[in-house]
Amino acid sequence: MLIRMAFFLASVRVFAGEIAYCAFEVKVTTAAGTPRPNVPVFLIREHKTTFSDATTDESGLARLCDAPLEAVDVVVGFDVCGLVTVRNLHSLWPDTKRINVIFEEHPCEHFALAEYCQVLLRVQDTEGRAVAGVRFSGDLDNKGSGSDVSDNLGRIFRLVKRHGKLEGVVKAERGGQARVSLLVTDDTELKLVLHK
């Protein structure tokens, strides 16, 4: 009887060890469908704590077998810039949740200062509505470039050399205008309200 019980317990342990249930399988590819090997994949608990992690194999597959019962996020990538996040997923034993992720590497640029900064002028009327067709005219230090007329969302995009100055006026055809005078040291978004 003892021998049978020992054999039964050993069988249960072997059987339990052979169960290959994984909560999540994440397939990582490029936009063209090519597998992405050696990409880190993380299982994040409560949107902030790493519960487990894996790295994609040659076929672009990462297996995250252990997971808590509450919702988790799956995060794919190397750095905070360009990460792909799939939020609020639940594991459901015995089914493996399969997730397909297209991942293109977009490394952070915050370690090197760009020569030019982006300036986004958001042109609005006095009621906060975007104004399209407003023209920017003025002087740019250091030969900046960009759009001269606001688009349908009231946006004018400019590139200005870092530590350069953006000066000018935005004018609507119907007479509203706003003045711009801005020393540009970093990417900047500025709201301009047209007054008649």
Side-chain angles (χ1 to χ4, degrees), residues 89-141:
L89 299 171
H90 284 89
S91 62
L92 187 59
W93 179 87
D95 297 326
T96 298
K97 188 166 294 255
R98 289 174 175 80
I99 303 159
N100 294 305
V101 173
I102 296 173
F103 177 72
E104 299 290 342
E105 216 168 322
H106 295 283
C108 293
E109 297 174 355
H110 57 263
F111 297 113
L113 291 177
E115 182 180 0
Y116 284 84
C117 299
Q118 297 181 80
V119 176
L120 170 56
L121 304 176
R122 291 192 178 273
V123 184
Q124 302 176 349
D125 63 17
T126 54
E127 295 175 14
R129 294 180 299 229
V131 181
V134 174
R135 181 166 296 280
F136 172 80
S137 59
D139 294 329
L140 289 169
D141 287 349

Side-chain angles (χ1 to χ4, degrees), residues 155-170:
R155 302 172 301 180
I156 297 175
F157 296 94
R158 302 298 301 191
L159 290 177
V160 179
K161 196 163 187 175
R162 190 173 298 278
H163 302 292
K165 200 164 190 181
L166 176 67
E167 285 211 69
V169 176
V170 290

Side-chain angles (χ1 to χ4, degrees), residues 21 35 39 45 58 64 94 123 127 137 148-149 162 166 171 181 183:
Y21 168 70
V39 175
R45 184 181 222 166
E58 290 302 314
L64 299 161
V123 184
E127 295 175 14
S137 59
D148 289 329
V149 178
R162 190 173 298 278
L166 176 67
K171 289 184 182 177
S181 181
L183 177 62

